[in-house]
Amino acid sequence: MEGGEAAAADAGGPRFPFPYTPYLIQEQFMAALYGALEAGRVGIFESPTGTGKSLSLICGALAWLRDFERKKQEEEARLLAPEESGQEGKECPASAGAGHAESQGTAGEPDWVTAFVQKKEERDLVDRLKEEQIRRKKREDRLEKIRNNVQLKYAAKRKRAEEDETKRLLQLSKEVLSEGAGDALEQLDHNEEELILAEYESDEEKKVVSGLEEDDDDLEEEHVTKIYYCSRTHSQLSQFVREVQKSPFGKDTRLVSLGSRQNLCVNEEVRRLGALQLINDRCMEMQKNKHEKKSDEENEGKKRRVSRTICPFYSYEQMQFLRDEVLVEVKDIEQLVALGRETKACPYYGSRYAISAAQLVVLPYQMLLHERTRNAAGIKLKDQVVIIDEAHNLIDTITCIHSAEVSGSQLCCAHSQLLQYMERYRKRLKAKNLMYIKQILYLLERFVAMLGGNVNQNPSCQAVSQTGAVLKSINDFLFQSHIDNINLFKVQRYCEKSLISRKLFGFVERYGSPASAVKSNKENQKLSGLQNFLLTLQQGADTEGAPQSPVVETERDQIQTASPLMQIEGFLSALTNTNQDGRVIINRQGTVGQSSLKFLLLNPAVHFAKVVEECRAVIIAGGTMQPVADFREQLLSCAGVDPARVVEFSCGHVIPPENILPIILCSGPSSQQLEFTYLTRNMPQMMDETGRILCNLCNVVPGGVVCFFPSYEYEKQIYAHWEKTGLLTRLAVKKKIFQEPKKANQVEQVLVEYAKCIKRCSQAGGQMTGALLLSVVGGKMSEGINFSDDLGRCVIMVGMPYPNIKSPELQEKMTWLDKTMPRAAGQPPSKVLIENLCMKAVNQSIGRAIRHQKDFASILLLDHRYARPAIFNKLPQWIRERTQVKPAFGAAFAELRKFHRGKLDAL
């Protein structure tokens, strides 16, 4: 193996292959991680950005897995050894003789019975181990063959091309034969047949193997012990996979990357749908068509077979080939998609087939944390290891995944669409379908009534009498909306199995637009109501009032106007949570269309509990995990995790202490105390003092200065004030000023301009020394953006970004915590929550600077409240240890000037 190999502190400890000589803190991280996995712990691991956290996770976890597999194989060999050396004469219990029948075992059974049971258990274990060995050998041989035989790849591709050509010729032949055959007897054309709901057979859930044929037994390999690694975004996952490829484990690790259909689908017809839910439904429908093909062929004589679209990439043989290719060599999502296109195999299902044999599965948060998604993907967590990276927002993520919101417009639109659909196909639908459609219509009607509206009137024209937000428990909401007599579990299952939202989307796509060609006047009359209704909805939503087709290309509009039922299904699913774990917020605004119903999950631990119960070990990791009390109390304690099972690890930074200068500033240049409360921060003298601090700093700090404000509104207000007082002009002499845009698509452009300006100034060496970027806590630039080197020589935090405690969601969460959680150090849990939310945001923002070992920066916290012990202790340890509290501005300014001049002289 290349590079260094780190040993644990004690000579007999595990060894960690590493691509280079690791830092001491990386060795400590890997040793702690190894210990947590071995002992089956739940670990909270913090390693600041720039300390090589990803590599430490990879090498620590895969070193443990390597040792675990070796021990397991040694144990197997030991158990199988007597079998192989022919010592089977001992196994016959009858040879114990009748004379021993009288002797009794400890449980009152004769000894020979106890011995017989033990022997049987041993034989069963040996048989199972033999079976696993055969399967493992079979898989290893197959992968080795693919590794060493390039011809196999070309043979598979050639075979696929031949099959495509045969299918094409067969289709041409069928078309020639069918020419001239009349379709007069058919009421509906081929495409419209696909819109009809199939007969719904049962309310009971059937056990469905995800996409496998009945004869696919050879795909069901042993489910090996593996590590599930998840992070927030696909780009973070791709970056992690590239780190694995570069690591000493890159060549011999079976890794599979999982993603959504939106990221992995290679069928252009399906990809064009854009919205994730539409892609999911269309894919499921195509699979269903494939499985129903046989029964259609059997009934061909009885009735004319319906033309059903089948996905050409859903080929069992090609997906087997793709699965093996994935296991042979580490690939990220982009490489997986390219392979899928090349082999004409579905990467979405091909990658799922590879899960059971994989050692490392890389996947997004949602896929692991949402139980239904997890089960659909074939992810089995029993006795496995889960590593959740970038986990600082884990509680919020679980809450968001399981919360749902629907607007009055969506509810009315879905009701109108579904009613028109039912009228159009009433004679073709079976009784059970009609029953469920009527139930869904009733639910929609009651939901709109709860917003104070009538489902049969345009929501944009219905004014709401009593505006404001009202919170209700799930049970109260169900009773008051008169839907407590409906089994929501059954309705939810019906929506899932019947694909009704997909059928409804197809129906609206066909008839919802005025441009659609509809056959007869009779049909025109039937459907004109839907078209007119959708048009009025669109005009109501459009500020300029120009009529547009309701089916437009953007994802947001597709969900809202084309198939709002998809969104509503999520809300129905949320209502099946237990009463104490969530609340329904009825948010009544100006009109029914603008009003909404929102489900808020209060207890994320209920959904995390299954993960920690089933897994062998769970590691929650991040660059900034402070304050960790939230994870311990709101997540782990509420999920029933024994405190003794929880282990914490936090390492320092790799930068030398002299490369960072964190200062808490208590007052400004004119001795104005810095306290940016909601009441004081708008005072002119406070805004002036902030401006003076920035002017002084920009005189001594080279390169880029990033200044974070608590909100967009405050940043806008203070900018306007400085513009009026002329302070902005003074600032612009030394630094070009940039503002964080609200629109996500403009962030990249602002960052590029900001970086160019800093580079230009450092080369020119004139009066202007760099740039000042005015950013917002919780905005686009407070997470995931690197302000390394000259891009962030000083990070300033203006005030304390406390969340809006007037928000009904937050108020309900605070009430719930005070009722369910114990007081911490004499403080109510709600107060601790507010402080923790504030400090998590601060820690994320100030962590944007210092991105590698040789980087340096100063950090300035403008508010005397940061010096309070309860707040101060929630700063990351590596920053806290080096922080200076300065009551007066003069001493702080002198320290900053000395720090930056010293660094410039050293360069």
Side-chain angles (χ1 to χ4, degrees), residues 526-682:
K526 268 188 183 180
L527 295 161
S528 62
L530 172 63
Q531 291 170 7
N532 292 336
F533 181 77
L534 287 173
L535 264 178
T536 56
L537 271 186
Q538 191 65 29
Q539 286 170 348
D542 185 22
T543 50
E544 292 171 16
Q548 298 171 11
S549 163
V551 185
V552 289
E553 284 301 313
T554 68
E555 182 175 327
R556 186 182 61 81
D557 285 336
Q558 271 182 328
I559 291 171
Q560 284 192 342
T561 59
S563 200
L565 192 61
M566 294 172 182
Q567 203 96 329
I568 293 157
E569 281 178 25
F571 182 69
L572 288 173
S573 175
L575 290 178
T576 60
N577 276 278
T578 52
N579 187 51
Q580 68 269 25
D581 293 329
R583 295 288 179 273
V584 178
I585 301 168
I586 303 165
N587 192 11
R588 297 188 183 101
Q589 295 303 320
T591 66
V592 170
Q594 292 166 334
S595 302
S596 66
L597 295 174
K598 182 178 182 179
F599 174 81
L600 172 70
L601 180 71
L602 293 175
N603 184 13
V606 291
H607 296 285
F608 195 60
K610 282 197 176 169
V611 176
V612 286
E613 277 166 23
E614 291 185 3
C615 290
R616 173 197 175 93
V618 176
I619 304 297
I620 303 167
T624 309
M625 298 299 285
Q626 290 293 336
V628 295
D630 281 2
F631 296 105
R632 272 188 173 277
E633 286 148 28
Q634 282 188 55
L635 209 54
L636 304 180
S637 177
C638 286
V641 178
D642 181 354
R645 193 185 168 199
V646 181
V647 60
E648 279 180 40
F649 175 86
S650 180
C651 64
H653 211 294
V654 288
I655 60 157
E658 63 272 14
N659 278 20
I660 183 173
L661 178 64
I663 289 176
I664 293 170
L665 188 59
C666 301
S667 59
S670 64
S671 302
Q672 168 80 45
Q673 189 188 45
L674 299 176
E675 185 174 353
F676 293 85
T677 64
Y678 196 70
L679 294 171
T680 61
R681 70 185 190 185
N682 300 327

Side-chain angles (χ1 to χ4, degrees), residues 209-253:
V209 182
S210 56
L212 296 179
E213 302 282 0
E214 285 167 16
D215 56 350
D216 292 353
D217 292 339
D218 59 325
L219 272 177
E220 282 299 311
E221 295 190 46
E222 86 285 12
H223 214 82
V224 301
T225 300
K226 57 178 60 55
I227 295 162
Y228 287 99
Y229 171 90
C230 58
S231 195
R232 277 186 313 143
T233 63
H234 281 288
S235 60
Q236 284 169 339
L237 293 171
S238 291
Q239 196 178 334
F240 178 82
V241 173
R242 285 193 288 275
E243 292 278 0
V244 174
Q245 287 168 332
K246 287 188 288 184
S247 81
F249 294 93
K251 291 277 183 284
D252 52 8
T253 297

Side-chain angles (χ1 to χ4, degrees), residues 60 110 141 144 231 335 418 458 464 482 524 563 612 630 639 648 742 764 791 882:
D141 289 348
E144 195 56 38
S231 195
Q335 292 167 322
L418 198 54
N458 188 332
V464 173
H482 307 300
N524 265 319
S563 200
V612 286
D630 281 2
E648 279 180 40
K742 258 192 172 183
L791 295 182
R882 304 165 192 188

Side-chain angles (χ1 to χ4, degrees), residues 2-6 16-24 26-27 30 853:
E2 295 172 25
E5 184 154 315
F16 305 105
F18 216 73
Y20 53 82
T21 305
Y23 303 128
L24 176 63
Q26 287 178 312
E27 288 184 17
M30 290 186 288
Q853 192 184 15

Side-chain angles (χ1 to χ4, degrees), residues 131 148 152 186 194 217 282 347 402 443 449 452 475 499 517 591 691-692 702 706-707 761 768 784 787 805 807 857 892:
E131 230 173 273
N148 300 321
L152 269 178
E186 278 298 308
E194 288 196 4
D217 292 339
R282 184 66 179 140
H402 296 92
L443 288 170
N475 286 351
L499 298 175
T591 66
R692 283 191 283 269
V706 185
C707 183
C761 291
M768 190 177 276
F787 291 112
I805 57 167
S807 141

Side-chain angles (χ1 to χ4, degrees), residues 64 68 225-226 380-385 614-617:
W64 171 81
F68 178 81
T225 300
K226 57 178 60 55
K380 298 171 185 171
L381 295 182
K382 185 73 179 151
D383 299 328
Q384 309 294 2
V385 168
E614 291 185 3
C615 290
R616 173 197 175 93

Side-chain angles (χ1 to χ4, degrees), residues 21-60:
T21 305
Y23 303 128
L24 176 63
I25 59 168
Q26 287 178 312
E27 288 184 17
Q28 291 166 346
F29 185 102
M30 290 186 288
L33 176 64
Y34 190 104
L37 298 182
E38 186 64 21
R41 299 292 192 88
V42 175
I44 301 170
F45 277 64
E46 182 180 54
S47 179
T49 308
T51 56
K53 170 169 58 74
S54 295
L55 260 179
S56 301
L57 280 170
I58 290 163
C59 297

